[in-house]
């Protein structure tokens, strides 16, 4: 008899355990805890008979989703085996999850096998597979599935299919496929879905067809924030900063919600255009909408300010940034380097190390050019060793930066050793080495290396030609220069730019072929710029041709130079020809326009210090000693034939002229270098302008009487002074 008091029948023991395990599994899955989920799953499987209240399909699929997210193929296969023993593989839900898992673990073949065995495949299953392929960069496979779903099962793609497959078209840069999907969407009326049209315009942008994207954008009846973002980003990434910024302003004006995507694009555009005021407005806006806690946005802000040449504002953002990433440091260092603030770049780099942020190759490529600019051989060697310790010295960009740096430090031999040891050479590596030789006046070696480059099958680019042409110019290799200039277009289809023309004018002009240089300018297919006429003017001074100098100078003045250097050059040419009235006229014109000649300075590098001298300055601590040493030097070189070249200073008495020449910054720097270094030490000088005739002459003789080697880097090239001669052969 049944007792009325008997308790309710309890569920089978295994069932309780199974639902416990099930709950644990679901909880673990929700935490993305794969080991936990797997443990729960195994416990559940062993505690319950396979046929009874065992794991239901949904637990399998949540587990498979985890495997997919982690790309954990091994666990995925275990789950697959469990499903197989339970005869559940053909269930649509399970098979779809399995196919998705295999696709995400980059096993398209396995995904296909599971999928092909499904007796019934619905659109959801097809879409899962398409999305799985597309998100894993298997663009071809994704697009193939879209075709197959129609052919094999007669399933029409829907908006989900389209939105899934479109990113795959973008990854494959498959403009044709994108057009097909677009046409299909229009036929099916899917283009009215804002997410479909947005995905289509995004793909057009990523395939470089921005104008087509814009047409899609304009025709969209409804646009959301994502659509605006995609279009603005598309313009920014395709180099149309003006349109990106215009559209961004419209977006803000129309009250569309601005997100980090459009802010990043707008900052990029402001930086590219150098629009500081617009950039500041974007800055204010992003603070208002709370994006100042987004470090990617703040890094972009730093870069924007640097590109607008305001490293001070960039530094302010950088310093106030609480959580700096390595990209923050890299952006700030690169910004300093590119704005000529080499000292700041190096200081930041040291600070980065103090704060234990590990540099990467990008950091090194940003800071090495700053060290190249400072040209301190000790620091150069240090950063080289540091690159080796970071195992980044064979990174081709780092290596190239090191080669360039050593060449700029006057150590062209070390640069060549590095070049020879390179495991990989890009065209930029060759360019750096060729340029290095050229700037030191080793024109022949530069030309040889250029020929070697071509013989190894490397294709030179515009920069290579600029380097080899300027090497020819510095070494007076006129025929080679002419030959390479025509080869540039004829053999390589490269259109010469303003700099190439300027270099040829320089080459011909220095070699005294002034008429040829002039007619070369007349035949230029582009309007000659200041640099081209400037090269001509320099050549006219060298070869004392007043007529062509006036012609060149007039063209320069029409173009409105920002510096007074060309006026000074012309005045000097007149002065050499004793045309005093004209000298006065040019000087007056220069004053009227408020133009100034940048003051000359030189720096001398001692072991751990750098000393800067301005021409005529007396504020150095050891000024007395320096001037005394210089006076003694001048006497010594006069004894071996030095005659001050007072040609270019005309409005003062002779002895004052000589004194003015004697206080040129490079002479002061050399005198100080001689005081501070032991006999026999090489003296290294850097000058911000071209070295003048008199200093060049004096330095040659100083190298003779002191037995010192003096390496001088001026704005154009290097001069190695030794035993009374200079490596430039007096041709600079
Ligand atoms: Zn000088
Ligand atoms: Zn020289």
């Amino acid at each position: 008899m049944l007792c009325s008091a008997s308790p309710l029948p309890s569920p089978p023991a295994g069932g309780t355990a199974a639902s416990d395990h099930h709950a644990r599994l679901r909880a673990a899955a929700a935490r993305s805890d794969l080991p936990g989920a797997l443990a729960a799953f195994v416990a559940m499987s062993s505690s319950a008979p396979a046929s009874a209240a065992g794991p239901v399909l949904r637990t399998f699929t949540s587990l498979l989703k985890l495997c997919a997210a982690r790309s954990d193929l091994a666990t995925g296969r275990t789950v697959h085996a469990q499903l197989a023993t339970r005869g559940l593989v053909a269930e649509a839900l399970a098979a779809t999850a399995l196919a998705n898992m295999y696709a995400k673990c980059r096993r398209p073949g396995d995904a296909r096998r599971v999928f092909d065995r499904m007796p019934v495949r619905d659109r959801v299953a097809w879409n899962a597979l398409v999305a799985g392929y597309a998100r894993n960069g298997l663009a071809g496979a994704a697009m193939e599935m879209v075709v197959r779903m129609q052919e094999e099962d007669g399933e029409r793609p829907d908006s989900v299919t389209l939105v899934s497959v479109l990113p795959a078209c973008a990854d494959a840069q498959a403009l044709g496929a994108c057009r097909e999907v677009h046409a299909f969407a229009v036929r099916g009326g899917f283009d009215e879905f804002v997410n479909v049209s947005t995905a289509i315009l995004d793909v057009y942008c990523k395939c470089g067809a921005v104008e087509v994207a814009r047409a899609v954008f304009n025709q969209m009846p409804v646009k959301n924030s994502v659509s605006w973002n995609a279009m603005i980003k598309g313009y920014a990434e395709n180099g149309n900063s003006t349109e990106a910024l215009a559209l961004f302003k419209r977006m803000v004006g129309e009250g569309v919600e601005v997100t980090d995507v459009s802010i990043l694009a707008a900052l990029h555009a402001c930086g590219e255009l150098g629009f500081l005021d617009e950039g500041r407005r974007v800055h204010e806006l992003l603070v208002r909408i709370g994006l100042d806690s987004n470090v990617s946005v703040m890094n972009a802000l730093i870069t924007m300010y640097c590109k607008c040449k305001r490293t001070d504002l960039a530094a302010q953002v950088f310093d106030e940034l609480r959580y700096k990433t390595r990209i923050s440091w890299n952006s700030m260092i690169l910004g300093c380097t590119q704005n000529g603030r080499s000292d700041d770049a190096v200081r930041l780099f040291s600070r980065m190390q103090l704060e234990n942020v590990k540099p990467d190759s990008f950091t090194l490529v940003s800071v090495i050019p700053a060290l190249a600019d400072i040209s301190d051989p000790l620091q150069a060697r240090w950063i080289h060793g540091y690159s080796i310790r970071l195992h980044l010295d064979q990174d081709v960009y780092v290596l190239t930066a090191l080669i360039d740096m050593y060449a700029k430090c006057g150590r062209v031999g070390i640069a060549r050793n590095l070049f020879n040891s390179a495991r990989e050479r890009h065209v930029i590596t060759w360019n750096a080495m060729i340029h290095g030789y050229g700037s030191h006046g080793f024109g022949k070696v530069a030309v040889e290396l250029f020929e070697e480059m071509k013989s190894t099958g490397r294709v030179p680019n515009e920069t290579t030609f600029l380097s080899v042409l300027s090497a020819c110019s510095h070494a007076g290799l006129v025929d080679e220069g002419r030959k390479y200039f025509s080869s540039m277009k004829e053999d390589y289809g490269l259109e010469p730019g303003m700099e190439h023309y300027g270099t040829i004018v320089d080459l011909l002009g220095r070699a005294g072929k002034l008429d040829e240089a002039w007619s070369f300018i007349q035949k230029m297919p582009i309007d000659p710029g200041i640099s081209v006429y400037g090269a001509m003017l320099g050549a006219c001074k060298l070869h004392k041709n007043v007529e062509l100098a006036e012609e060149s100078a007039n063209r320069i003045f029409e173009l409105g130079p920002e510096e007074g250097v060309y006026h000074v050059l012309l005045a000097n040419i007149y002065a050499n020809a004793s045309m005093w009235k004209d000298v006065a006229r040019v000087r007056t014109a220069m004053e009227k326009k408020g133009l100034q000649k940048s003051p000359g300075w030189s720096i001398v590098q001692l072991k751990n210090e750098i000393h800067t001298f301005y021409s005529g300055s007396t504020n150095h601590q050891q000024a007395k000693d320096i001037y005394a040493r210089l006076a003694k030097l001048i006497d010594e070189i006069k004894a071996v034939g030095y005659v001050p070249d007072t040609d270019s200073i005309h409005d003062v008495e002779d002895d004052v002229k000589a004194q003015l020449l004697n206080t040129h910054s490079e002479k002061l720097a050399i005198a100080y270098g001689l005081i501070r270094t032991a006999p026999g030490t090489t003296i290294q000088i850097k000058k911000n302008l071209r070295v003048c005739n008199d200093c060049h002459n004096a330095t040659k003789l100083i190298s003779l009487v002191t037995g010192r080697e003096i390496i001088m880097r001026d704005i154009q090239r290097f001069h190695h002074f030794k035993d009374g001669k200079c490596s430039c052969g007096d041709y600079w």
Side-chain angles (χ1 to χ4, degrees):
M1 146 193 154
L2 286 171
C3 175
S4 60
S6 80
L8 286 168
S10 53
T16 310
S19 61
D20 271 1
H21 294 313
H22 196 180
R24 261 176 57 206
L25 169 56
R26 283 233 302 271
R31 289 197 306 272
S32 298
D33 168 16
L34 189 53
L38 190 63
F41 170 72
V42 170
M44 179 163 52
S45 309
S46 56
S47 67
S51 54
V56 292
L57 273 176
R58 231 183 310 270
T59 59
F60 276 114
T61 53
S62 59
L63 202 48
L64 283 170
K65 252 185 216 154
L66 266 185
C67 298
R70 302 275 171 87
S71 297
D72 185 345
L73 185 61
T75 311
R77 284 198 195 287
T78 313
V79 179
H80 188 172
Q82 286 287 338
L83 280 168
T85 56
R86 281 149 217 269
L88 294 171
V89 174
E91 291 288 335
L93 200 59
T96 305
L98 273 174
N100 183 45
M101 182 275 292
Y102 281 123
K104 289 192 175 155
C105 292
R106 309 192 70 81
R107 303 296 297 227
D110 289 331
R112 276 280 286 281
R113 262 190 293 284
V114 174
F115 193 74
D116 288 345
R117 287 195 198 116
M118 283 171 75
V120 186
R121 294 173 296 202
D122 58 3
R123 190 152 53 198
V124 176
W126 280 106
N127 282 350
L129 201 64
V130 170
Y133 283 146
R135 272 190 233 119
N136 284 281
L138 300 162
M143 290 188 267
E144 193 195 321
M145 286 302 125
V146 179
V147 177
R148 279 188 52 198
M149 75 190 278
Q150 300 172 72
E151 287 175 354
E152 294 177 14
D153 290 357
E155 284 286 359
R156 305 258 312 145
D158 62 359
S159 65
V160 177
T161 326
L162 297 184
V163 172
S164 303
V165 76
L166 278 164
C169 300
D171 290 343
Q173 297 268 302
L175 188 57
C178 176
R179 284 209 189 95
E180 275 176 39
V181 177
H182 184 192
F184 179 86
V186 172
R187 280 198 305 274
F190 294 116
D191 58 334
E192 286 177 16
F193 290 94
V194 63
N195 59 341
V196 172
S197 278
T198 301
I200 289 172
L201 82 84
D202 188 43
V203 179
Y204 276 126
C205 287
K206 283 177 179 150
C207 293
V210 197
E211 290 319 310
V212 188
R214 183 60 186 261
V216 174
F217 180 79
N218 288 344
Q219 280 161 18
M220 287 171 73
V222 182
K223 303 177 184 76
N224 61 19
S225 173
V226 184
S227 330
W228 286 87
N229 285 346
M231 196 62 238
I232 294 169
K233 187 167 171 234
Y235 276 123
E237 284 178 354
N238 282 282
N240 190 344
S241 299
T242 310
E243 201 52 48
L245 199 57
L247 202 59
F248 176 77
K249 286 203 276 196
R250 239 184 79 192
M251 179 184 187
V252 176
E254 293 190 13
V256 184
E257 188 200 349
V258 174
T259 68
D260 56 336
V261 179
S262 36
I263 289 283
L264 284 170
L267 288 173
H268 178 82
C270 292
E272 289 300 308
L273 296 166
F275 284 0
L276 178 64
D277 291 343
E278 300 282 0
R280 287 183 127 155
R281 274 197 281 278
V282 178
H283 186 176
E284 284 165 18
L285 174 65
L286 72 88
V287 172
R288 264 206 312 278
I289 59 178
L291 280 174
D292 51 344
S293 57
N294 179 323
V295 69
S296 303
V297 167
M298 296 317 269
N299 292 344
L301 189 61
I302 291 171
T303 299
M304 183 276 292
Y305 279 131
C306 289
K307 287 208 171 144
C308 292
K309 304 190 190 312
R310 290 298 299 267
T311 46
D312 56 329
L313 297 176
Q316 218 175 321
V317 174
F318 177 81
D319 287 333
E320 285 167 10
L321 201 57
R322 272 180 67 202
Y323 300 104
K324 297 180 179 69
T325 61
R326 179 158 57 203
I327 297 174
S328 321
W329 288 94
N330 288 354
S331 308
M332 198 60 229
I333 292 174
L334 182 67
C336 289
T337 301
Q338 288 180 336
N339 281 289
R341 306 185 72 107
S342 304
D343 288 346
D344 289 337
V346 174
R347 256 195 297 278
L348 269 167
F349 179 69
S350 316
R351 226 180 97 192
M352 180 178 181
Q353 287 170 298
L354 285 177
E355 298 190 16
N356 285 321
V357 185
K358 198 175 169 218
D360 61 2
S361 57
F362 193 86
T363 323
L364 293 179
V365 172
S366 305
V367 74
I368 293 173
L371 290 167
D373 185 46
I374 293 167
S375 301
D376 174 358
L378 272 184
Q379 289 194 56
R381 233 173 290 150
W382 181 85
I383 195 82
H384 183 192
Y386 189 67
S387 308
I388 294 172
R389 289 198 294 282
L390 291 173
H391 302 291
L392 289 172
D393 59 312
Q394 281 292 341
D395 174 288
V396 68
Y397 296 99
V398 174
L399 185 85
T400 301
L402 288 171
I403 289 171
D404 184 60
M405 174 189 69
Y406 275 119
K408 288 199 171 121
C409 293
R411 304 295 197 271
V412 71
I414 302 179
R416 183 56 191 258
N417 288 342
L418 275 186
F419 179 82
N420 289 344
S421 73
R423 275 186 232 134
E424 192 193 354
R425 287 174 201 156
H426 274 200
V427 61
I428 55 163
T429 321
W430 288 90
N431 292 355
M433 197 62 236
I434 292 171
H435 180 81
Y437 278 127
S439 66
H440 284 274
F442 300 123
K444 288 224 169 66
V445 193
V447 164
E448 275 166 27
L449 197 63
F450 180 58
E451 290 297 333
E452 190 187 325
M453 173 185 183
K454 290 192 289 183
S455 70
T456 58
R458 272 277 167 210
V459 181
N461 62 15
E462 284 93 344
T463 312
T464 324
F465 275 101
L466 192 59
S467 300
V468 76
L469 289 177
S470 94
C472 290
S473 171
H474 287 313
L477 304 170
V478 179
D479 292 339
E480 287 86 344
R482 279 202 202 103
K483 189 180 82 188
Y484 289 139
F485 182 75
S486 41
S487 156
M488 185 175 171
K489 197 170 175 184
E490 283 164 21
D491 303 332
Y492 295 92
L494 297 170
E495 199 57 52
M498 195 64 76
E499 285 177 300
H500 298 93
Y501 286 106
T503 308
I504 290 292
V505 170
D506 193 55
L507 169 88
L508 296 170
R510 282 169 198 272
K513 301 178 186 301
L514 293 181
D515 291 331
E516 190 183 339
W518 186 250
S519 69
F520 177 83
I521 296 179
Q522 308 311 313
K523 284 185 215 140
M524 276 174 63
I526 49 175
D527 288 338
I530 291 181
S531 59
V532 173
Y533 287 117
M536 188 71 209
L537 191 58
C540 289
K541 174 163 191 274
L542 193 63
H543 297 287
K544 301 188 170 37
N545 185 324
V546 177
E547 196 191 328
L548 284 177
E550 280 179 328
E551 290 249 27
S552 311
N554 286 337
R555 304 290 166 84
I556 292 174
F557 299 157
E558 280 165 21
L559 293 168
E562 286 174 10
E563 276 186 59
V565 49
Y566 301 107
H567 287 83
V568 173
L569 205 52
L570 182 63
N572 286 341
I573 293 169
Y574 283 136
N576 280 337
S578 304
M579 298 162 72
W580 307 117
K581 271 187 189 158
D582 294 295
V583 173
R585 184 171 53 79
V586 174
R587 291 224 163 134
T588 315
M590 181 177 165
E591 276 165 24
K592 265 191 187 160
K593 284 182 187 152
L595 296 173
Q596 285 184 332
K597 190 186 172 194
S598 37
W601 51 255
S602 296
I603 57 180
V604 58
Q605 276 126 15
L606 304 171
K607 255 189 183 152
N608 284 317
E609 11 179 319
I610 285 172
H611 291 258
T612 308
F613 294 90
Y614 289 88
S615 293
S617 71
T618 50
N619 52 8
H620 193 277
Q621 281 183 340
Q622 284 171 270
K624 242 185 169 176
D625 300 338
I626 295 167
Y627 279 92
R629 183 76 180 91
L630 190 56
K632 199 170 147 249
L633 258 179
I634 298 296
D635 287 343
E636 284 169 19
I637 59 176
K638 273 184 178 158
V640 292
Y642 169 69
V643 182
D645 171 15
T646 52
D647 265 5
S648 49
I649 306 170
H650 293 274
D651 35 14
V652 288
E653 297 301 317
D654 264 3
D655 55 337
V656 182
K657 278 182 206 173
Q659 206 189 341
L660 279 174
L661 280 175
N662 286 349
T663 59
H664 270 188
S665 63
E666 51 269 61
K667 292 200 188 80
L668 296 174
I670 291 172
Y672 187 60
L674 288 171
I675 295 174
R676 286 288 307 275
T677 55
T681 315
T682 299
I683 294 175
Q684 195 140 352
I685 308 281
K686 189 172 135 193
K687 154 120 201 183
N688 69 329
L689 305 171
R690 232 183 239 212
V691 57
C692 84
N693 225 345
D694 181 71
C695 287
H696 194 268
N697 195 18
T699 310
K700 283 198 290 184
L701 296 171
I702 292 172
S703 77
L704 181 71
V705 299
T706 60
R708 296 286 194 105
E709 214 180 312
I710 301 167
I711 299 177
M712 191 185 293
R713 170 183 171 191
D714 74 8
I715 193 160
Q716 286 270 326
R717 57 166 296 149
F718 279 91
H719 302 263
H720 292 247
F721 297 94
K722 199 181 173 186
D723 303 329
K725 292 198 193 87
C726 179
S727 63
C728 72
D730 298 337
Y731 192 93
W732 78 98

